[in-house]
Amino acid sequence: MTISTLAHRALERDGLGPIRDKVLAGERISDDDALKLFEVADLAALGALANHVREARHGDLTFYNRNVHLNPTNVCVASCKFCSFARKDDQRASDGYTMSLDEAVEKVLSRRPLGITEVHIVSGLHPDLPFEYYTELLSRIRKAWPELAIKAFTAIELNFFAEKFGMTYEQVIRRLMDAGLDTIPGGGAEIFAPRVRRKVCDDKATAEQWLEIHRTAHRLGVKTNATMLYGHIERLDERIDHMRRLRALQDETHGFQVFIPLAFHPEHNMIGKAFPKPTGYDGLRTLAVARLYLDNFDHIKAYWVALGERLVQTALAFGVDDLDGTVLEERIYHMAGSTVPQALSERTLHQLIRAAGRVPAERDSLYRVLKVHEAPVPKMTA
């Protein structure tokens, strides 16, 4: 398995022959290498190199799961300048809301007939809810639906719980595990660079706290995801610094399952007027560089809610092997102006994947394959 002659020539022409040779030899690329890849003139050649790594790991398999999102409240004390989801209170006039436990649990349980295998729970940092709200939410879901995987609470939320309720990170995670927590999502990472965090999210957990929470979770045997919010005020070298810190922690713990670059959406937030939505070109090169740089991550995800259905199809040739899942009622990106559907059927996901020349593979929350959906054999006609 190798890249095409045209891609070889394009990379050579751009002075990237030594980086290409490292990748093909299975060697780790440097930060300087990654920056050169971000600046490559031939996007298709970059994609071919990332696709080589993707196919060496996963062949044509493209992963997805049947999942539902639950956002129990959007009331939040933080003031992230890129966020269109959070509200300061739950008064109806502000579009703020907080579900009762009965409402939240019922919203999840109502999806049981659809064959969902995972619930993804993320909320705002509510100033008044007790910790028992969150533990009871998990325990009630677990009791009513034992086989459902629970992926819940970003590191930002876990840091908030620790500070608000006077616990260590380990104590917070253990109590949530006892209530039913299986895995932890990767949100809240944004960009780790201090310059960026000071400007866009200076009143929530630091990069060091985010990393320490994931380190703690990994030590306790909890697998987690990792994200990066790109396309706002960050520089390319700050994207690489972000991935470098993730790669270093993965070397240490091996607890990350997937890396998910998240495109900034500019609508309905404080910095959106100054920064347009990232281009498809930027999205594809970011995914490709991530696949090449994060050599110790098994999976790179293109989140279809953020990128749209057509671009994630293209991303399957740029190092991506996972498209997320059915999602069901996504709120956070849609409150930021996303115009894609709030859910995709399993059939639609299969069609997207097959149209890109790949094979759909349903997975569970730990990336164990549940079923490979080979293309149906065409019926013979007389």
Side-chain angles (χ1 to χ4, degrees):
M1 183 186 303
T2 187
I3 63 176
S4 70
T5 301
L6 285 175
H8 272 291
R9 289 175 179 171
L11 292 167
E12 199 74 51
R13 183 183 64 243
D14 288 347
L16 301 177
I19 301 175
R20 173 204 61 203
D21 294 343
K22 281 185 184 180
V23 171
L24 296 180
E27 298 175 10
R28 173 163 284 186
I29 66 172
S30 69
D31 291 10
D32 287 341
D33 292 337
L35 185 57
K36 290 176 182 176
L37 291 173
F38 262 118
E39 296 170 345
V40 68
D42 194 319
L43 181 64
L46 174 63
L49 196 57
N51 185 61
H52 167 82
V53 175
R54 179 250 200 268
E55 291 189 354
R57 287 173 178 257
H58 305 295
D60 282 329
L61 293 184
T62 295
F63 303 97
Y64 73 93
N65 69 342
R66 286 180 285 168
N67 61 345
V68 58
H69 281 213
L70 176 69
N71 307 118
T73 180
N74 67 344
V75 175
C76 188
V77 298
S79 54
C80 301
K81 294 178 175 61
F82 53 79
C83 183
S84 307
F85 172 71
R87 299 293 184 269
K88 288 302 180 184
D89 57 56
D90 55 7
Q91 297 301 309
R92 186 170 299 176
S94 72
D95 296 324
Y97 71 90
T98 300
M99 297 179 187
S100 69
L101 284 171
D102 287 343
E103 290 172 332
V105 173
E106 177 54 33
K107 182 171 281 290
V108 175
L109 298 185
S110 68
R111 307 300 188 181
R112 191 196 294 265
L114 300 177
I116 301 303
T117 63
E118 175 193 274
V119 59
H120 176 124
I121 305 175
V122 173
S123 288
L125 310 180
H126 198 295
D128 302 320
L129 291 175
F131 190 56
E132 288 70 24
Y133 175 92
Y134 306 98
T135 54
E136 187 174 347
L137 174 62
L138 300 193
S139 64
R140 287 176 61 173
I141 293 172
R142 171 63 67 235
K143 183 178 180 180
W145 196 345
E147 68 274 21
L148 183 69
I150 300 176
K151 180 171 70 177
F153 309 126
T154 66
I156 303 303
E157 294 167 271
L158 299 177
N159 178 74
F160 179 72
F161 297 158
E163 292 182 348
K164 180 174 175 60
F165 302 113
M167 291 185 281
T168 65
Y169 294 152
E170 179 172 341
Q171 288 171 332
V172 169
I173 295 170
R174 283 193 181 277
R175 287 193 55 184
L176 293 170
M177 290 171 65
D178 289 343
L181 178 75
D182 292 306
T183 61
I184 293 173
E190 322 314 356
I191 290 288
F192 290 148
R195 179 192 74 86
V196 177
R197 294 187 87 81
R198 282 196 300 270
K199 293 184 177 182
V200 302
C201 56
D202 64 344
D203 60 350
K204 70 179 186 183
T206 65
E208 290 70 27
Q209 289 170 323
W210 190 99
L211 290 164
E212 183 57 32
I213 287 167
H214 283 263
R215 177 182 287 109
T216 302
H218 298 168
R219 179 168 52 80
L220 295 174
V222 177
K223 295 292 187 181
T224 72
N225 297 347
T227 63
M228 176 179 72
L229 184 70
Y230 71 91
H232 44 98
I233 71 169
E234 87 287 356
R235 303 187 303 261
L236 291 178
D237 65 295
E238 290 168 331
R239 294 188 197 180
I240 296 166
D241 169 73
H242 185 98
M243 291 190 287
R244 177 186 58 78
R245 299 197 207 191
L246 292 174
R247 190 169 75 172
L249 182 55
Q250 182 74 329
D251 279 342
E252 175 188 336
T253 67
H254 308 290
F256 288 119
Q257 299 198 104
V258 60
F259 177 64
I260 314 159
L262 296 171
F264 168 65
H265 268 240
E267 292 88 349
H268 312 144
N269 57 63
M270 286 185 272
I271 63 173
K273 292 182 180 179
F275 299 94
K277 184 178 179 179
T279 63
Y281 182 101
D282 193 16
L284 292 174
R285 69 172 178 168
T286 301
L287 290 161
V289 172
R291 178 61 287 166
L292 295 167
Y293 184 83
L294 294 174
D295 53 13
N296 53 6
F297 275 66
D298 284 338
H299 302 282
I300 302 295
K301 179 187 293 186
Y303 187 38
W304 65 260
V305 174
L307 296 177
E309 298 160 63
R310 292 186 178 184
L311 190 58
V312 296
Q313 278 186 307
T314 308
L316 294 178
F318 282 77
V320 166
D321 65 275
D322 185 83
L323 298 185
D324 202 272
T326 52
V327 176
L328 294 188
E329 201 174 338
E330 194 280 339
R331 288 175 180 245
I332 294 175
Y333 262 95
H334 283 84
M335 291 180 76
S338 176
T339 58
V340 303
Q342 283 194 300
L344 288 181
S345 69
E346 188 175 20
R347 179 180 179 182
T348 300
L349 283 168
H350 287 187
Q351 291 171 340
L352 287 173
I353 293 166
R354 286 183 178 134
R358 302 298 191 184
V359 177
E362 184 184 356
R363 62 169 177 83
D364 67 9
S365 293
L366 297 176
Y367 279 84
R368 295 173 298 207
V369 175
L370 300 177
K371 184 176 181 180
V372 175
H373 296 267
E374 300 285 356
V377 178
K379 293 182 178 180
M380 299 297 292
T381 57

